Amino acid sequence: MAAVLWHSRGRDYEAELHRCRPEAAPVEFGDHHPLKPIMVTDTKTRRGIRKGSTSSSSSSSSLAAPDPLSSMLDGTDPLSMFVAASASEPLAVSHSDSSGDLGRRRGDREEEAMGPDFEPWSAKRGEILARFTTTEKLSINLFMGSERGKAPSPGSSAVSEKVRTRLEELDDLEEGSQRELLNLSQQDYANRIEELNQSLKEAWASDQKVKALKIVIQCSKLLSDTSVIQFYPSKFVLITDILDTFGRLVYDRIWTMCSDPRPLPDSFTVDDVNDTAKETCLNWFFKIASIRELLPRLYVEAAILKCNRFLNKSGIQETLPRLTAMIRGIGDPLVAAYTRAYLCRVGMEVAPNVKDSLNRNFFDLLGTFQQISGESVQNQLVLQRVEAPEYLTLYSPAINWILQCIAYRAPERLLMEMMERCKKLGNNALLLNSVMRAFRPDFVAARATDFIGMIKDCDEAGFPKHLLFGSLGRSLACADPPEPERLTILNEAWKVITKVRSPRDYVNCAEIWVEFTCRHFTKREVNTVLADIIKHMTPDRAFEDAYPQLQAVIRKILTYFHDFSVLFSMERFLPFLDMFQKDSVRVEVCRSIMEVFIRHQLEPTRDPVILNAMLHICKTMHDSVNALTLEDEKRSLALLIIGFIRMVSFGRDFEQQLSFCVEARATFCNLEPVLVQLIHTVNQLAMETRRVMRGSHSRKTAAFVRACAAYSFITVPSLSSIFSRLSLYLLSGQVALANQCLSQADAFLKAAVSILPEVPRSISVEGKLRSSESFLLDFVNNFLATLLVVPDHPEHGVLYLVRGLLNMVQDYAWEDNSDAKVRVYISALPLLAAMGQETYIYSIPKVDSNETLYGGDPKFLSEINKLCETLIAQVLDHLKALGREEQSTRRQGALAFSLFGILLAHGDLRNNKLSQLAVNLWNLSHKHGYCDTRVSVRTLEYIKHQAQQADMAHLSDTVQRLTLQSRT
């Protein structure tokens, strides 16, 4: 392929654009329309047999082409078919279902029966375990199973032998084959209880039912031990887990016995239970009745209370009062309270509508309160060195649960009766606290003044009043009291709260009432509350131990105050933030403030109060970044700061906006995404100035846009990402060019060209190394498109930027076996062809491009043609080199076809040599059959279409020499 002389064909862009516009064609809207909704058939079934389907008929003609989506449905809606099929399937339970699955499903149904508004015990479990802890050593009595507790061997199947063995096991149980473990930590104790739970399941699975019963009895006995009284509520939670497991296993075992041959329905009656299941159920109750000690007998029978359904229709209703009366025999009031709580919990699960036993348990509980001040309890507290207020709090989970069960969907008359009982009891603070925690918040809020009066009458020594006000505050956070009483309520509560001396107790209570204050009052009252919190928490740096509560205060304030001009006008808000001295906590608080600001600040702001405060908060987040900060953390902080920067607008005061960006650049210099955003903001500011001035700058605005360009030119080099620098140099150069800042634009573009050699051959993208060639090619193509409107510098010669770019591309260390350099050369040919036109395809207003500077000067056109010839020669040499290697024929064909397309679009093919070169490139691209035939066919059709135009008739000869070849 000999070298050719390049000739660009003349282009009339307006005429080409006109020819490319599609012709408008009239559209006839008939019955059939592609956007017409599809009518879907609803399949109706009954008893699993499809009777037919009814379908609303479409108004489209039957002759219209069928819609592909409708035809896929085949006249029926698949979702309706699935629903119908599932409805027609008989309810069946496989015998292979595990008893645990049965129990879980039934448990879910029971929980649904109580309703989603009832807080289940499982939701309270974690709180109790976390709240009631101890550092003292604990002890536990572990049952040591004997060989007789194992299942009999297959040979010993005689009934009499089995009965005798089990009787011996029960005797052994009473004799007490036990081992006591001492000096256990709290975690060790919990682990041992979990081991017992697993032993229970393993014994049950291996058909050692009596051994399982022994384990449950031994665990129940542990609930009579109050030697470490502070841990008792947590012990109760751990051991009742084992009781629940046992009760579920027994129930599921009997249920399975009733499910042969047909499964037992959920709403079964006693008549549906077979004799074998009844006998087994009675056997379990007889075993439990033989337990000598009261407490384990009570707990174990309560655990299997639900099994009464298999024996008697009214068995549960009859058993609950009996068990309630038996609890009166427990001497320790704390043990009795939790036993009642467990009985109420089981009662709510199996018979939620039976309220009499709940009320009876509660009234019995009231009767035991006088025991708390008795000699035995007081001696125990002295022995364990436990104060009376701390001891009373141990009752809270049990009393709260009992009252919650009573108050659930209870009529208001019953709740009023409970309040009256509290008053008659002398306003017992412990009970009053539980009433406010368990009753509906709207009930408590409506009578908040009455409750405050009851709190005042309580004895401060027995139960701290601040805890009572804390419980009242929780209810008022969920429901609103009468409006005229709100200020009085707040004043009465805060009189007590502010007198609390312990910083920990104070902040726990104050944090609750902050929400009430924010819900119903203005910034004045909230500011007063914040000042009081600062006053209490600053001495001795007490705030260091209360960061979670202080964070909760901030969250509640942010929930109700979304106007940041009001928020930051509170005198004590920023001093309150200063109490967060720990870096991680301070950053977390600042992050939460920023998230709320970005979410709720809908309009840009210039309020100096907001700007100063937010700059302080953002600077706190920025200054937390160090060498050890994770990239994800940096990214999230940068996004929050960027969100703030985007919300700052000084309107037409552009100089103030630029000053803000200058300050922000100095403040946030360590976060690169923020610097990138600031550069974009300043470029946008320059373009906004151009829009306001309608492209005609005055002396003042011209100096301002040059200052914007200087800002970007100074900031870009500080970025570490090479592609961020390249793209921002180019973008800033385009902005400078649009504002007629030619020297600044020239500096940006030269800077971009100068750093091209720094581009690495591979870059990290989402943690993976990828070749940088594709990114670099995208940038170069964008850069070439910009160079069309950039006028040549009078001191640097013709096309100096184009030549500089191509020289950098020539010297760049491309990857081995890469065609990227040649692709850049091919991409440069359309630019050079466009530069040779009399009128450019696009231009910038008030900027004289080379079309105006040179005015079609033959010397300029000659320079363009020479450069094009040089580039084509380089491409052809590369094609020859590829032709020498068989494995490179596909690359050769692709490059040849690309160059052919450039010649066809931009070259003057009336020149014979250029035309012959185009034909040779076509043949080369199809030589090995790698070219896409469909693309080739469309290309030939395009050439034939172009040849029909008067000024393109010469393409007729060219197209006749272009043939399609298949791969051989």
Side-chain angles (χ1 to χ4, degrees):
M1 300 178 185
V4 295
L5 297 176
W6 172 264
H7 295 280
S8 302
R9 73 179 180 92
R11 306 285 295 272
D12 186 348
Y13 295 116
E14 289 292 334
E16 290 182 21
L17 179 62
H18 181 73
R19 286 196 299 268
C20 290
R21 286 173 180 161
E23 297 181 2
V27 179
E28 295 181 2
F29 294 98
D31 289 337
H32 177 70
H33 191 273
L35 298 181
K36 188 172 184 178
I38 300 170
M39 308 305 292
V40 180
T41 302
D42 181 17
T43 302
K44 298 181 179 179
T45 60
R46 185 178 181 184
R47 296 178 184 174
I49 302 174
R50 182 179 173 188
K51 297 291 185 182
S53 61
T54 58
S55 172
S56 54
S57 58
S58 172
S59 60
S60 61
S61 172
S62 60
L63 298 177
D67 180 72
L69 297 179
S70 299
S71 63
M72 290 297 292
L73 296 177
D74 193 24
T76 58
D77 176 14
L79 296 181
S80 300
M81 292 174 65
F82 292 148
V83 172
S86 62
S88 64
E89 291 177 0
L91 180 63
V93 179
S94 172
H95 289 288
S96 62
D97 284 347
S98 66
S99 60
D101 292 338
L102 288 171
R104 279 192 294 273
R105 286 199 293 271
R106 285 192 291 274
D108 293 341
R109 285 192 288 269
E110 288 154 7
E111 190 169 316
E112 291 172 4
M114 285 188 288
D117 54 337
F118 184 83
E119 185 180 7
W121 175 259
S122 57
K124 301 177 179 294
R125 182 182 182 279
E127 178 187 354
I128 296 173
L129 291 174
R131 179 181 174 189
F132 297 98
T133 60
T134 183
T135 57
E136 296 187 24
K137 297 302 181 180
L138 304 165
S139 62
I140 185 172
N141 291 326
L142 274 179
F143 166 71
M144 300 298 293
S146 64
E147 292 298 320
R148 291 177 296 176
K150 296 183 179 179
S153 62
S156 57
S157 58
V159 177
S160 59
E161 179 68 21
K162 185 174 182 181
V163 172
R164 186 170 63 253
T165 301
R166 294 201 171 181
L167 289 174
E168 291 174 354
E169 287 173 343
L170 288 175
D171 291 339
D172 179 55
L173 169 67
E174 295 300 326
E175 292 168 5
S177 175
Q178 302 173 8
R179 182 183 66 182
E180 187 174 15
L181 298 177
L182 303 174
N183 297 325
L184 296 177
S185 66
Q186 178 180 329
Q187 186 59 47
D188 293 337
Y189 190 94
N191 293 338
R192 293 292 184 180
I193 296 297
E194 180 58 29
E195 290 176 9
L196 285 174
N197 202 354
Q198 292 300 322
S199 298
L200 169 64
K201 295 177 182 177
E202 293 170 3
W204 191 272
S206 60
D207 202 28
Q208 301 181 58
K209 302 298 188 298
V210 174
K211 179 179 179 181
L213 179 59
K214 289 180 180 180
I215 295 175
V216 175
I217 294 173
Q218 293 299 317
C219 291
S220 302
K221 287 182 178 180
L222 295 176
L223 289 174
S224 62
D225 177 20
T226 57
S227 57
V228 184
I229 203 165
Q230 304 98 318
F231 185 65
Y232 191 83
S234 295
K235 180 197 292 188
F236 170 80
V237 169
L238 295 171
I239 293 175
T240 51
D241 286 347
I242 297 179
L243 290 167
D244 294 340
T245 301
F246 177 73
R248 186 167 58 251
L249 290 172
V250 173
Y251 186 85
D252 291 344
R253 163 71 173 163
I254 303 173
W255 173 284
T256 305
M257 296 174 68
C258 298
S259 299
D260 190 17
R262 290 184 304 173
L264 200 64
D266 288 338
S267 57
F268 70 91
T269 63
V270 178
D271 298 333
D272 298 324
V273 182
N274 57 46
D275 293 339
T276 305
K278 289 182 179 179
E279 182 180 354
T280 303
C281 187
L282 274 172
N283 186 30
W284 276 111
F285 280 108
F286 290 154
K287 289 178 182 176
I288 294 169
S290 67
I291 301 174
R292 297 175 184 175
E293 295 185 31
L294 173 62
L295 192 65
R297 185 166 70 251
L298 260 172
Y299 270 107
V300 179
E301 184 172 357
I304 67 167
L305 178 65
K306 191 176 181 181
C307 294
N308 280 281
R309 291 185 62 192
F310 299 111
L311 300 176
N312 193 340
K313 182 178 180 180
S314 58
I316 294 177
Q317 289 83 343
E318 295 173 358
T319 305
L320 281 172
R322 178 172 58 82
L323 294 179
T324 301
M326 289 171 62
I327 297 176
R328 298 171 186 169
I330 300 176
D332 192 310
L334 183 64
V335 176
Y338 276 92
T339 309
R340 291 190 174 92
Y342 184 70
L343 183 60
C344 291
R345 175 155 76 86
V346 175
M348 282 297 289
E349 291 176 359
V350 301
N353 298 322
V354 180
K355 296 287 188 179
D356 293 340
S357 65
L358 297 175
N359 298 340
R360 188 70 263 162
N361 271 290
F362 176 70
F363 297 145
D364 287 350
L365 178 65
L366 297 184
T368 63
F369 279 172
Q370 58 186 359
Q371 291 181 260
I372 296 177
S373 57
E375 183 179 353
S376 61
V377 173
Q378 294 300 319
N379 291 339
Q380 185 182 21
L381 297 184
V382 172
L383 183 65
Q384 297 195 35
R385 299 178 182 177
V386 176
E387 298 293 333
E390 182 182 359
Y391 174 70
L392 290 176
T393 58
L394 300 177
Y395 286 84
S396 296
I399 300 176
N400 290 349
W401 177 259
I402 295 174
L403 283 172
Q404 178 184 327
C405 296
I406 293 174
Y408 179 65
R409 295 182 180 175
E412 195 158 311
R413 173 183 53 78
L414 177 61
L415 302 182
M416 291 298 297
E417 181 184 351
M418 296 295 176
M419 283 189 63
E420 292 302 322
R421 292 240 179 190
C422 293
K423 292 180 180 179
K424 291 179 181 178
L425 202 62
N427 284 325
N428 184 285
L430 174 62
L431 179 59
L432 181 61
N433 182 66
S434 297
V435 165
M436 291 187 291
R437 294 288 293 268
F439 282 14
R440 295 192 304 270
D442 56 340
F443 177 87
V444 177
R447 297 161 181 79
T449 304
D450 295 339
F451 277 103
I452 288 178
M454 295 167 66
I455 293 173
K456 287 182 177 179
D457 295 338
C458 290
D459 183 12
E460 177 74 26
F463 198 90
K465 287 186 178 180
H466 68 85
L467 294 180
L468 297 174
F469 274 105
S471 298
L472 178 61
R474 288 187 182 92
S475 296
L476 298 182
C478 302
D480 299 333
E483 187 172 354
E485 302 175 7
R486 292 173 184 172
L487 184 58
T488 303
I489 292 171
L490 179 61
N491 289 333
E492 292 293 336
W494 210 261
K495 286 178 184 177
V496 176
I497 297 171
T498 194
K499 294 178 182 178
V500 178
R501 295 183 178 181
S502 167
R504 179 180 178 183
D505 294 338
Y506 168 83
V507 76
N508 284 332
C509 194
E511 174 253 321
I512 297 171
W513 280 87
V514 164
E515 184 166 3
F516 176 77
T517 310
C518 294
R519 278 169 66 100
H520 303 296
F521 299 98
T522 63
K523 69 172 185 178
R524 176 174 169 270
E525 288 79 10
V526 176
N527 190 63
T528 303
V529 170
L530 292 180
D532 195 62
I533 295 175
I534 294 172
K535 176 183 175 183
H536 280 78
M537 302 306 295
T538 302
D540 300 326
R541 300 178 68 87
F543 53 78
E544 292 182 345
D545 298 324
Y547 285 140
Q549 293 87 345
L550 297 178
Q551 285 180 273
V553 170
I554 292 292
R555 283 195 299 270
K556 291 174 180 178
I557 293 175
L558 294 175
T559 301
Y560 295 97
F561 285 86
H562 297 155
D563 188 344
F564 280 80
S565 60
V566 174
L567 184 65
F568 290 130
S569 64
M570 295 183 196
E571 296 178 1
R572 296 300 177 180
F573 185 76
L574 290 179
F576 187 88
L577 294 182
D578 291 338
M579 287 197 295
F580 295 99
Q581 299 289 320
K582 189 177 180 181
D583 290 343
S584 59
V585 178
R586 184 169 65 248
V587 172
E588 190 63 32
V589 171
C590 292
R591 184 198 294 271
S592 63
I593 295 174
M594 287 302 305
E595 288 172 350
V596 174
F597 176 82
I598 294 171
R599 189 181 309 121
H600 295 285
Q601 186 72 26
L602 302 179
E603 297 294 331
T605 181
R606 60 183 299 172
D607 189 331
V609 175
I610 295 178
L611 296 186
N612 289 333
M614 296 306 291
L615 273 174
H616 171 72
I617 291 171
C618 290
K619 187 177 187 301
T620 300
M621 294 193 300
H622 169 270
D623 293 346
S624 69
V625 175
N626 53 45
L628 300 178
T629 306
L630 298 176
E631 288 299 322
D632 287 344
E633 178 73 8
K634 291 182 181 179
R635 191 181 301 110
S636 62
L637 294 177
L639 288 175
L640 293 174
I641 297 174
I642 288 171
F644 161 64
I645 291 172
R646 288 175 175 170
M647 296 307 299
V648 176
S649 174
F650 290 88
R652 289 291 185 91
D653 192 349
F654 295 154
E655 292 182 351
Q656 185 66 28
Q657 186 86 27
L658 182 59
S659 299
F660 169 78
C661 291
V662 171
E663 181 182 358
R665 179 179 61 186
T667 305
F668 310 123
C669 57
N670 291 331
L671 291 175
E672 187 163 308
V674 178
L675 296 179
V676 171
Q677 176 61 37
L678 288 171
I679 295 171
H680 285 303
T681 301
V682 171
N683 285 334
Q684 186 178 1
L685 189 60
M687 294 305 294
E688 183 67 14
T689 305
R690 177 180 180 273
R691 185 189 66 80
V692 171
M693 299 303 295
R694 298 181 181 178
S696 300
H697 285 296
S698 64
R699 179 178 299 178
K700 181 177 181 180
T701 59
F704 177 76
V705 295
R706 286 195 294 270
C708 292
Y711 179 98
S712 300
F713 194 78
I714 293 171
T715 309
V716 171
S718 63
L719 305 178
S720 61
S721 171
I722 183 67
F723 282 102
S724 294
R725 280 185 280 158
L726 284 172
S727 60
L728 288 173
Y729 270 136
L730 178 57
L731 179 63
S732 301
Q734 292 168 344
V735 171
L737 200 61
N739 284 282
Q740 303 116 48
C741 301
L742 300 183
S743 59
Q744 284 79 7
D746 202 58
F748 279 118
L749 297 178
K750 284 197 295 185
V753 172
S754 66
I755 64 173
L756 278 177
E758 300 177 18
V759 176
R761 296 172 66 172
S762 60
I763 58 174
S764 176
V765 179
E766 296 180 355
K768 298 180 180 179
L769 283 179
R770 291 180 53 186
S771 173
S772 63
E773 279 190 2
S774 59
F775 300 97
L776 187 55
L777 287 176
D778 288 342
F779 168 77
V780 170
N781 289 332
N782 195 356
F783 193 89
L784 289 171
T786 305
L787 291 182
L788 178 63
V789 294
V790 178
D792 283 339
H793 196 284
E795 299 179 359
H796 295 93
V798 179
L799 304 177
Y800 82 101
L801 279 175
V802 178
R803 295 179 187 277
L805 175 64
L806 294 176
N807 288 336
M808 287 295 181
V809 170
Q810 175 72 26
D811 297 336
Y812 182 75
W814 299 96
E815 293 184 8
D816 299 334
N817 300 321
S818 170
D819 300 325
K821 179 169 66 174
V822 176
R823 292 194 176 278
V824 173
Y825 292 160
I826 295 175
S827 299
L829 290 175
L831 166 67
L832 296 171
M835 282 184 167
Q837 305 300 319
E838 294 182 1
T839 304
Y840 287 178
I841 189 172
Y842 51 83
S843 60
I844 297 178
K846 302 185 183 300
V847 174
D848 293 332
S849 302
N850 285 338
E851 60 175 334
T852 305
L853 295 181
Y854 295 107
D857 186 359
K859 292 183 179 180
F860 176 66
L861 298 178
S862 175
E863 289 291 334
I864 290 176
N865 292 338
K866 287 180 181 179
L867 190 52
C868 289
E869 291 163 7
T870 301
L871 295 178
I872 292 175
Q874 293 281 349
V875 176
L876 294 179
D877 290 341
H878 186 72
L879 290 175
K880 289 179 182 179
L882 293 177
R884 301 188 189 102
E885 303 173 2
E886 292 185 5
Q887 65 271 22
S888 302
T889 52
R890 182 184 292 273
R891 293 163 52 200
Q892 184 191 46
L895 289 174
F897 195 79
S898 297
L899 184 56
F900 168 79
I902 298 297
L903 295 181
L904 180 64
H906 302 283
D908 187 358
L909 297 187
R910 289 174 295 187
N911 181 284
N912 292 333
K913 290 186 177 181
L914 206 56
S915 176
Q916 184 59 45
L917 176 59
V919 173
N920 292 342
L921 289 170
W922 173 274
N923 292 334
L924 179 60
S925 64
H926 290 73
K927 181 178 179 180
H928 300 283
Y930 288 117
C931 193
D932 190 339
T933 304
R934 290 174 297 177
V935 175
S936 300
V937 170
R938 288 198 296 268
T939 303
L940 288 176
E941 291 174 353
Y942 168 77
I943 298 174
K944 292 175 183 178
H945 177 73
Q946 291 289 93
Q948 296 175 5
Q949 301 174 22
D951 57 339
M952 303 291 285
H954 58 280
L955 291 179
S956 300
D957 297 334
T958 304
V959 75
Q960 292 177 2
R961 292 187 287 167
L962 302 179
T963 59
L964 291 175
Q965 299 179 16
S966 60
R967 185 175 183 182
T968 56

